[in-house]
Amino acid sequence: MSSTSIIPQYHLQSEFAKLLDASVSANTHKSHRAGMAAYYKVCKLLDCAPWPPSLNSVVQFVLHSSSSGLAYSTVRSYLSAISFHCKLQSVPDPTPEFLVTKLLQGMKRLKHKADTRLPITKTILHSIIQILPIICTNAFEATLFSAAFSLAFHGFLRVGELTVNTRKGHHQNTIQIHNLSINQDTQSLLLSIRFSKTDQFGKGTVLQIDRQGGVACPYQLVKKYVSIRPEGSGPLFRHFDLSPLTRYQFTGVLCKAVKHLDLPARSGYKSHSFRIGASTDLALKGFSSDDIQRSGRWKSASYKSYIRIPKF
């Protein structure tokens, strides 16, 4: 029986919708909507019957997407959306078929692009921290971004854990002020990560970030920021007007700092460069694979792609 043919009793319909909606993240919902819209658009263009999807319609979709210049990862994401809806409606799913998987493999080989993002090393991090008072609009902003950048590096944090996408969007998955504890006895930060990319169900983890030497010390910078942060609950990083730090602002100030420092290949420094740099730093210091994987909270060997050992 198709799940779409199941009609909950009237008083349970809202619960039915709520549970289905909560079964995947907001980003996955967004990706699914984009995927289905793209699939239906191509089917209409090529005069293919869209639903239930046939092997032919899915193959035509992959071919058209590839010839239109879509990336392998995008097409794979769109096929995941089709597969999800097939399962939801209990109709045959053609996306795992041998021909579809081989076409995807061909796309991956032909369209593969090297990851050109560069690591922010400790030396670069120190330079960025030192330049922030010059490029930021005021001392408060310089303190905020110094703490955010240092915490991103030393905590192996994803930018989505420190920032919000929009000022008025959902903030509950962003690190909150109550998720931070400052232990002055041990001179360390305890950071509770409730949700992450690899922890969608909120099992959570606690990071201990110890005091470091130099101008980029996370303990000193975060402690200084918290001492001037406007009072109140909400995201850890907020501007003086109480608005949360956004991803756009985080990336914008980073780009401005990198440009001001006139670093070579500066377009390669992105928000993820802190996480890449932290992984590379541990590898250069001889830490084991298990240590690196645990520090970055990776669940697979994907951490290896973050290590950028210089080639001499």
Side-chain angles (χ1 to χ4, degrees):
M1 179 182 292
S2 168
S3 62
T4 55
S5 65
I6 297 175
I7 303 177
Q9 294 186 21
Y10 179 78
H11 69 287
L12 295 175
Q13 288 180 5
S14 62
E15 189 68 14
F16 180 80
K18 182 177 70 174
L19 294 179
L20 276 182
D21 183 66
S23 66
V24 296
S25 68
N27 286 338
T28 301
H29 275 300
K30 184 178 179 180
S31 175
H32 283 177
R33 286 193 296 269
M36 294 307 295
Y39 171 68
Y40 273 96
K41 182 178 180 180
V42 170
C43 286
K44 183 177 181 180
L45 179 66
L46 301 180
D47 197 26
C48 298
W51 207 263
S54 64
L55 177 59
N56 176 65
S57 65
V58 171
V59 166
Q60 298 301 331
F61 174 65
V62 173
L63 295 177
H64 184 273
S65 299
S66 179
S67 64
S68 298
L70 289 186
Y72 156 79
S73 58
T74 301
V75 177
R76 185 182 62 179
S77 173
Y78 287 175
L79 290 179
S80 295
I82 296 172
S83 178
F84 176 83
H85 283 276
C86 285
K87 293 179 175 65
L88 191 63
Q89 299 181 30
S90 296
V91 300
D93 177 10
T95 62
E97 292 285 346
F98 178 80
L99 181 57
V100 177
T101 59
K102 297 310 288 184
L103 290 174
L104 271 182
Q105 289 174 7
M107 279 192 70
K108 186 176 183 179
R109 288 177 179 271
L110 293 175
K111 295 179 178 290
H112 175 72
K113 293 183 179 180
D115 187 348
T116 59
R117 294 176 297 184
L118 298 172
I120 289 178
T121 64
K122 275 197 171 182
T123 300
I124 294 176
L125 177 63
H126 287 191
S127 298
I128 290 174
I129 298 298
Q130 290 174 319
I131 209 73
L132 286 176
I134 298 174
I135 65 173
C136 288
T137 55
N138 55 57
F140 178 87
E141 290 291 294
T143 302
L144 184 154
F145 282 101
S146 294
F149 289 168
S150 180
L151 199 58
F153 179 91
H154 293 99
F156 291 72
L157 298 176
R158 302 176 178 90
V159 64
E161 295 170 335
L162 288 172
T163 67
V164 300
N165 286 328
T166 62
R167 291 189 176 190
K168 296 182 179 180
H170 296 292
H171 303 163
Q172 63 268 27
N173 289 350
T174 304
I175 295 172
Q176 307 287 299
I177 182 62
H178 68 262
N179 296 138
L180 171 71
S181 296
I182 300 177
N183 190 321
Q184 298 192 45
D185 292 332
T186 61
Q187 294 194 322
S188 62
L189 307 173
L190 292 179
L191 198 62
S192 175
I193 309 293
R194 186 182 174 193
F195 290 97
S196 69
K197 183 178 179 180
T198 55
D199 184 14
Q200 295 290 318
F201 291 100
K203 181 180 178 181
T205 187
V206 177
L207 307 179
Q208 178 172 321
I209 304 172
D210 296 323
R211 180 171 180 163
Q212 307 283 325
V215 298
C217 173
Y219 173 78
Q220 294 285 24
L221 293 175
V222 171
K223 182 181 176 183
K224 180 180 178 181
Y225 163 70
V226 170
S227 70
I228 62 173
R229 178 188 181 274
E231 294 184 2
S233 59
L236 170 61
F237 290 107
R238 298 196 303 177
H239 299 283
F240 200 72
D241 65 0
L242 304 183
S243 63
L245 176 63
T246 67
R247 180 188 293 258
Y248 176 80
Q249 293 164 343
F250 185 97
T251 303
V253 171
L254 173 61
C255 291
K256 192 174 180 180
V258 168
K259 182 179 180 180
H260 196 93
L261 292 170
D262 197 25
L263 295 176
R266 57 177 178 259
S267 63
Y269 294 98
K270 310 292 184 182
S271 58
H272 229 53
S273 292
F274 292 101
R275 192 164 158 84
I276 294 171
S279 307
T280 302
D281 182 64
L282 286 191
L284 289 171
K285 290 177 178 176
F287 281 78
S288 69
S289 297
D290 288 343
D291 287 332
I292 298 172
Q293 189 170 351
R294 182 170 55 254
S295 296
R297 292 168 288 134
W298 282 285
K299 299 297 184 183
S300 68
S302 60
Y303 75 91
K304 294 179 180 179
S305 66
Y306 286 71
I307 299 173
R308 312 290 164 85
I309 303 297
K311 296 180 180 179
F312 299 102

